[in-house]
Amino acid sequence: MTKAVSSGDPQVGQLAKGQLRTIDAIAISVSVLSPGMAMQLNTGGVAAVAGGSTPLSTLLGGIGCLALAFVVIGFTRRMAAAGYAYTYVSRSLGKPSGFMAGWLYAFGFMSFVPMTMAAVGFLLADLLGLAPGWWIVFFVIGMVLLIGLSIVRIHTTTRVQLVVGIVTVLILLVVAIVVTAKGGLHGQDASAFTFGKTHSGGFNGVFYGLILGITSFIGFESAADFGEETANPRRSVPIAVLAAVIFAIILYVWVTYATTIGYGVNELQKDPSPWVANGVAGVAQTYLGTFMAKLVEIGALLSAFIVCVACATAGSRTLFAMGREGVLPTWFARTHPRFKTPVNATLTVAAVATVLAVIVGYGFTNNDLGQPFTVYALMATIGTLAVLLVYIGLCIGAIPYFRRESRRFNPLTHGLIPIVGAVIFAAAWYGSVYPVPAAPILAAPYVVLVWLVIGIGFLMWLRSNRPDAVDRIGTILGEEGGELVEALDDPGGGHRADDVPQRT
């Protein structure tokens, strides 16, 4: 294993080892999912086009992410690395592709930070009965708190994330149980899982809705970013990734189904605006009263803040990993002297998020959405499109990687499943650009493509001027190899631990 780039400074390239347990890894992945925020804010965007077929969009997004989960688990059983996507793609598709994966992944998660903190600002102003313009004040206050939580010992932050996650999920479960038990507006309706109830029409409606549907799932795999800080990562991280995605599929499909029948499947097909305007809180108001509706909004607020912290920590670790290997300035690899967290990368993410929120909120506001929701919608779409390209790369790269590294290549788990994931993510990308969305959301794919071109140009400069940095891409790992790799890949194969050679 290649040694880390050394600057002679003990605060460069040194993360706190073994700080996280399995429950902490699960908390990280679930908190990035942000169920409270995702169901209250994201589902309205899906319903705007998917209408009464919103549960189908949610289910398809979940299937794609489940396929990706198998891919990520296959990688994490072999290696632990900060900036997991950057490292895994470099090991599967080559170092240039790995650089682009890190470039896009860090950009995507940095986009999610202003998105989620804008939601915090809006929800808090609304709950306090203040004018919408107060959102930016609460945004700045939230960013200060985020910096503190992101730099302290990471296991302290995960405890907070876990508590908030449990509370917000319980609120959603109460709503889903009650609305489902009452049968919604017209009783149970399986047509919500067909293409025939979309608002914008058939397949286009469902696949256009996929982009925000998948936004709700993005981050389920983020425990892999903390592999170097997790005790026994090849056991804990796979458990966290699989637990998070299965949990999300069950919860999201149930909640979106309950919300769909709550508003009425046929009614949403004709006019999804009640869901767009009121989210899950609208059906909570109808079926459980004002108190529960307010609880849904409070849960969304807390969930939005926690996911903002989680996105900032995930994005900062990708910057850290790239800085440690020298493809970005080593300044990003500097860690806090006491807490051993990537302090410079974290401060960068916070600063960029604040600047983007101001630029988008005050420079590109869609009057129909308002300042905070323009930030939310545009940055959510930009971030998701960037991360989807990384997900596609992970799925495609998994096939040659596992064929090369696995003693027994399984065409189903190592071939077909990654292809399913790549196809669903590609369909979501297509659905986000056709039909063409309204301004300013229509700018999102162009922003991502410009960032992609800049990354390619920077990579070409690196190859010409600093080829040694390119050679280091994906070489620094917290752990590699390990027992039972093949047995875990093929649990039905009957392998014993002593049959499996260790890879080092």
Side-chain angles (χ1 to χ4, degrees):
M1 188 172 69
T2 305
K3 293 183 178 180
V5 179
S6 176
S7 67
D9 188 337
Q11 290 174 225
V12 174
Q14 300 297 320
L15 291 172
K17 304 294 185 181
Q19 289 289 305
L20 306 178
R21 299 176 302 163
T22 300
I23 190 65
D24 298 315
I26 293 173
I28 289 169
S29 283
V30 172
S31 66
V32 177
L33 287 169
S34 183
M37 183 196 74
M39 293 297 95
Q40 176 62 12
L41 299 180
N42 290 353
T43 56
V46 181
V49 288
S53 297
T54 296
L56 178 60
S57 273
T58 305
L59 179 60
L60 288 176
I63 291 172
C65 290
L66 183 60
L68 178 65
F70 280 98
V71 169
V72 172
I73 288 170
F75 281 114
T76 57
R77 284 168 177 164
R78 291 171 170 81
M79 56 185 125
Y84 85 97
Y86 160 77
T87 302
Y88 296 170
V89 174
S90 70
R91 294 293 183 101
S92 59
L93 294 178
K95 297 179 186 299
S97 297
F99 172 85
M100 294 309 303
W103 182 260
L104 288 167
Y105 192 82
F107 177 67
F109 271 79
M110 281 194 286
S111 299
F112 294 142
V113 176
M115 159 200 160
T116 50
M117 196 62 82
V120 170
F122 168 79
L123 290 168
L124 188 53
D126 183 61
L127 285 167
L128 295 176
L130 299 173
W134 278 85
W135 75 274
I136 191 64
V137 176
F138 296 128
F139 185 103
V140 173
I141 294 172
M143 292 307 298
V144 173
L145 294 174
L146 176 146
I147 290 171
L149 281 173
S150 299
I151 293 176
V152 301
R153 290 188 185 277
I154 190 63
H155 71 81
T156 303
T157 306
T158 62
R159 299 299 192 276
V160 177
Q161 292 171 337
L162 186 60
V163 171
V164 172
I166 290 171
V167 171
T168 56
V169 167
L170 288 175
I171 294 170
L172 290 173
L173 284 175
V174 169
V175 175
I177 290 169
V178 171
V179 176
T180 304
K182 290 184 176 181
L185 197 61
H186 302 300
Q188 310 302 329
D189 195 339
S191 66
F193 292 96
T194 69
F195 290 93
K197 298 297 180 178
T198 66
H199 176 63
S200 63
F203 287 92
N204 278 344
V206 170
F207 287 116
Y208 188 75
L210 259 181
I211 190 68
L212 280 179
I214 290 177
T215 300
S216 299
F217 286 96
I218 279 181
F220 73 89
E221 82 296 353
S222 57
D225 276 312
F226 299 83
E228 293 183 38
E229 297 161 85
T230 303
N232 195 6
R234 287 192 302 276
R235 175 182 179 275
S236 296
V237 174
I239 290 174
V241 169
L242 194 58
V245 72
I246 291 175
F247 158 80
I249 291 172
I250 294 172
L251 179 68
Y252 289 179
V253 171
W254 188 7
V255 171
T256 53
Y257 172 74
T259 307
T260 300
I261 64 171
Y263 284 117
V265 175
N266 294 325
E267 284 74 9
L268 288 172
Q269 181 183 12
K270 298 173 185 176
D271 179 19
S273 60
W275 192 339
V276 176
N278 303 305
V280 177
V283 294
Q285 173 79 42
T286 301
Y287 294 90
L288 291 102
T290 302
F291 177 73
M292 185 56 71
K294 288 297 181 184
L295 281 183
V296 170
E297 291 189 30
I298 293 171
L301 167 63
L302 295 174
S303 188
F305 178 74
I306 289 302
V307 73
C308 190
V309 174
C311 288
T313 54
S316 66
R317 275 149 182 80
T318 299
L319 292 177
F320 166 84
M322 298 177 76
R324 180 175 60 179
E325 293 181 350
V327 294
L328 290 181
T330 55
W331 184 84
F332 288 114
R334 189 174 182 84
T335 55
H336 191 279
R338 177 183 175 190
F339 300 121
K340 299 301 181 184
T341 50
V343 58
N344 287 353
T346 299
L347 292 172
T348 300
V349 170
V352 170
T354 304
V355 171
L356 286 175
V358 171
I359 291 173
V360 175
Y362 292 94
F364 297 93
T365 296
N366 181 321
N367 292 329
D368 294 332
L369 293 174
Q371 291 174 342
F373 270 101
T374 298
V375 176
Y376 187 93
L378 181 57
M379 300 313 299
T381 307
I382 290 172
T384 302
L385 291 176
V387 174
L388 281 181
L389 292 177
V390 179
Y391 284 178
I392 292 170
L394 282 165
C395 289
I396 293 174
I399 300 173
Y401 177 83
F402 293 133
R403 190 170 190 86
R404 183 173 67 246
E405 297 292 326
S406 298
R407 290 174 59 200
R408 296 189 179 182
F409 181 83
N410 187 314
L412 175 63
T413 57
H414 298 144
L416 180 61
I417 289 177
I419 290 173
V420 169
V423 168
I424 291 177
F425 297 137
W429 228 100
Y430 173 79
S432 71
V433 297
Y434 182 81
V436 178
I441 309 303
L442 61 84
Y446 299 103
V447 171
V448 174
L449 290 176
V450 167
W451 183 254
L452 184 67
V453 170
I454 293 172
I456 292 172
F458 183 58
L459 177 62
M460 292 175 65
W461 180 87
L462 279 176
R463 296 184 75 168
S464 298
N465 297 277
R466 297 183 58 194
D468 58 319
V470 177
D471 289 340
R472 285 194 297 267
I473 291 175
T475 58
I476 301 175
L477 300 175
E479 270 192 331
E480 184 175 15
E483 298 178 352
L484 298 178
V485 168
E486 293 294 333
L488 288 167
D489 271 344
D490 186 16
H495 297 160
R496 297 180 326 214
D498 56 358
D499 292 331
V500 183
Q502 293 189 15
R503 297 184 184 274
T504 57

